[in-house]
PDB file of all heavy atoms in Angstrom:
ATOM      1  N   ALA A1052     141.899   3.762 120.949  1.00  0.00           N
ATOM      2  CA  ALA A1052     140.843   4.764 121.107  1.00  0.00           C
ATOM      3  C   ALA A1052     140.897   5.500 122.430  1.00  0.00           C
ATOM      4  O   ALA A1052     140.629   6.698 122.490  1.00  0.00           O
ATOM      5  CB  ALA A1052     139.473   4.106 120.949  1.00  0.00           C
ATOM      6  N   TYR A1061     142.850  14.523 122.542  1.00  0.00           N
ATOM      7  CA  TYR A1061     141.838  14.700 121.503  1.00  0.00           C
ATOM      8  C   TYR A1061     140.473  14.596 122.160  1.00  0.00           C
ATOM      9  O   TYR A1061     140.340  14.157 123.300  1.00  0.00           O
ATOM     10  CB  TYR A1061     141.996  13.659 120.384  1.00  0.00           C
ATOM     11  CG  TYR A1061     142.117  12.236 120.887  1.00  0.00           C
ATOM     12  CD1 TYR A1061     141.007  11.457 121.160  1.00  0.00           C
ATOM     13  CD2 TYR A1061     143.378  11.683 121.117  1.00  0.00           C
ATOM     14  CE1 TYR A1061     141.129  10.166 121.643  1.00  0.00           C
ATOM     15  CE2 TYR A1061     143.512  10.393 121.590  1.00  0.00           C
ATOM     16  CZ  TYR A1061     142.387   9.641 121.843  1.00  0.00           C
ATOM     17  OH  TYR A1061     142.523   8.377 122.330  1.00  0.00           O
ATOM     18  N   GLN A1063     137.719  12.903 120.659  1.00  0.00           N
ATOM     19  CA  GLN A1063     137.156  11.566 120.434  1.00  0.00           C
ATOM     20  C   GLN A1063     137.968  10.864 119.351  1.00  0.00           C
ATOM     21  O   GLN A1063     138.573  11.504 118.501  1.00  0.00           O
ATOM     22  CB  GLN A1063     135.695  11.666 120.001  1.00  0.00           C
ATOM     23  CG  GLN A1063     134.929  10.380 120.130  1.00  0.00           C
ATOM     24  CD  GLN A1063     133.435  10.604 120.088  1.00  0.00           C
ATOM     25  OE1 GLN A1063     132.936  11.486 119.402  1.00  0.00           O
ATOM     26  NE2 GLN A1063     132.704   9.770 120.813  1.00  0.00           N
ATOM     27  N   ALA A1064     137.979   9.528 119.396  1.00  0.00           N
ATOM     28  CA  ALA A1064     138.680   8.723 118.397  1.00  0.00           C
ATOM     29  C   ALA A1064     137.754   7.640 117.867  1.00  0.00           C
ATOM     30  O   ALA A1064     136.996   7.037 118.626  1.00  0.00           O
ATOM     31  CB  ALA A1064     139.925   8.090 118.999  1.00  0.00           C
ATOM     32  N   PHE A1065     137.849   7.398 116.564  1.00  0.00           N
ATOM     33  CA  PHE A1065     137.106   6.341 115.876  1.00  0.00           C
ATOM     34  C   PHE A1065     138.141   5.398 115.287  1.00  0.00           C
ATOM     35  O   PHE A1065     138.949   5.811 114.449  1.00  0.00           O
ATOM     36  CB  PHE A1065     136.250   6.930 114.759  1.00  0.00           C
ATOM     37  CG  PHE A1065     135.088   7.761 115.243  1.00  0.00           C
ATOM     38  CD1 PHE A1065     135.286   8.995 115.828  1.00  0.00           C
ATOM     39  CD2 PHE A1065     133.793   7.290 115.107  1.00  0.00           C
ATOM     40  CE1 PHE A1065     134.218   9.761 116.276  1.00  0.00           C
ATOM     41  CE2 PHE A1065     132.718   8.044 115.552  1.00  0.00           C
ATOM     42  CZ  PHE A1065     132.931   9.278 116.144  1.00  0.00           C
ATOM     43  N   VAL A1079     135.808   0.613 117.409  1.00  0.00           N
ATOM     44  CA  VAL A1079     135.661   1.263 118.708  1.00  0.00           C
ATOM     45  C   VAL A1079     135.537   2.768 118.513  1.00  0.00           C
ATOM     46  O   VAL A1079     136.201   3.345 117.651  1.00  0.00           O
ATOM     47  CB  VAL A1079     136.888   0.979 119.612  1.00  0.00           C
ATOM     48  CG1 VAL A1079     136.856   1.801 120.882  1.00  0.00           C
ATOM     49  CG2 VAL A1079     136.978  -0.497 119.964  1.00  0.00           C
ATOM     50  N   ILE A1080     134.703   3.376 119.344  1.00  0.00           N
ATOM     51  CA  ILE A1080     134.652   4.830 119.481  1.00  0.00           C
ATOM     52  C   ILE A1080     135.056   5.126 120.914  1.00  0.00           C
ATOM     53  O   ILE A1080     134.517   4.522 121.843  1.00  0.00           O
ATOM     54  CB  ILE A1080     133.240   5.387 119.200  1.00  0.00           C
ATOM     55  CG1 ILE A1080     132.800   5.057 117.776  1.00  0.00           C
ATOM     56  CG2 ILE A1080     133.207   6.893 119.444  1.00  0.00           C
ATOM     57  CD1 ILE A1080     131.354   5.425 117.474  1.00  0.00           C
ATOM     58  N   SER A1081     136.022   6.016 121.083  1.00  0.00           N
ATOM     59  CA  SER A1081     136.506   6.298 122.434  1.00  0.00           C
ATOM     60  C   SER A1081     135.360   6.711 123.347  1.00  0.00           C
ATOM     61  O   SER A1081     134.422   7.390 122.940  1.00  0.00           O
ATOM     62  CB  SER A1081     137.572   7.395 122.407  1.00  0.00           C
ATOM     63  OG  SER A1081     137.035   8.605 121.899  1.00  0.00           O
ATOM     64  N   ILE A1154     140.447   7.922 113.151  1.00  0.00           N
ATOM     65  CA  ILE A1154     140.084   9.318 112.950  1.00  0.00           C
ATOM     66  C   ILE A1154     139.977   9.954 114.330  1.00  0.00           C
ATOM     67  O   ILE A1154     139.220   9.480 115.186  1.00  0.00           O
ATOM     68  CB  ILE A1154     138.770   9.477 112.173  1.00  0.00           C
ATOM     69  CG1 ILE A1154     138.929   8.887 110.765  1.00  0.00           C
ATOM     70  CG2 ILE A1154     138.369  10.949 112.102  1.00  0.00           C
ATOM     71  CD1 ILE A1154     137.672   8.905 109.930  1.00  0.00           C
ATOM     72  N   TYR A1155     140.782  10.991 114.538  1.00  0.00           N
ATOM     73  CA  TYR A1155     140.798  11.728 115.800  1.00  0.00           C
ATOM     74  C   TYR A1155     140.093  13.063 115.605  1.00  0.00           C
ATOM     75  O   TYR A1155     140.305  13.739 114.599  1.00  0.00           O
ATOM     76  CB  TYR A1155     142.235  11.991 116.252  1.00  0.00           C
ATOM     77  CG  TYR A1155     142.976  10.744 116.628  1.00  0.00           C
ATOM     78  CD1 TYR A1155     143.865  10.142 115.748  1.00  0.00           C
ATOM     79  CD2 TYR A1155     142.783  10.159 117.876  1.00  0.00           C
ATOM     80  CE1 TYR A1155     144.556   8.992 116.095  1.00  0.00           C
ATOM     81  CE2 TYR A1155     143.471   8.997 118.230  1.00  0.00           C
ATOM     82  CZ  TYR A1155     144.348   8.432 117.330  1.00  0.00           C
ATOM     83  OH  TYR A1155     145.020   7.288 117.679  1.00  0.00           O
TER      84      TYR A1155
END
Side-chain angles (χ1 to χ4, degrees):
Y1061 50 86
Q1063 197 163 34
F1065 291 71
V1079 172
I1080 299 173
S1081 62
I1154 297 176
Y1155 293 100

